[in-house]
Amino acid sequence: ELIAAIAAAAARHGASTMAMPSGAAHDAMVLSRHVPSAMLFIPSIGGRSHDVAEDSHASDIVRGCQVRAEAVAVLIGDAAA
């Protein structure tokens, strides 16, 4: 349900999606034992991740925030979403 809500919000914002299982020890790994969890990633410039040179364009950060907010609103049943 979480992934579907994120994917639908991303589509409405013109963003592509890709399901990516994570082997890294993110917070969601711990949280998922207690509550449904999902992660939303935004593009990194040059594909750099977990590196001091990692960076993202401001427009991707904003779109990621918009997608997350919309997905949360849908999941909590906010009629305005």
Side-chain angles (χ1 to χ4, degrees):
E1 182 180 19
L2 297 178
I3 294 170
I6 292 168
R12 286 190 291 274
H13 285 273
S16 62
T17 60
M18 176 189 327
M20 296 174 54
S22 176
H26 291 281
D27 293 346
M29 181 179 74
V30 176
L31 288 172
S32 68
R33 296 179 194 144
H34 308 284
V35 296
S37 302
M39 295 185 292
L40 183 150
F41 294 91
I42 62 167
S44 293
I45 298 169
R48 295 206 132 157
S49 178
H50 298 91
D51 183 281
V52 296
E54 180 178 355
D55 198 7
S56 295
H57 294 290
S59 59
D60 288 327
I61 296 168
V62 169
R63 183 163 45 181
C65 291
Q66 292 168 331
V67 167
R68 174 68 74 192
E70 185 175 317
V72 168
V74 167
L75 288 165
I76 65 171
D78 186 340

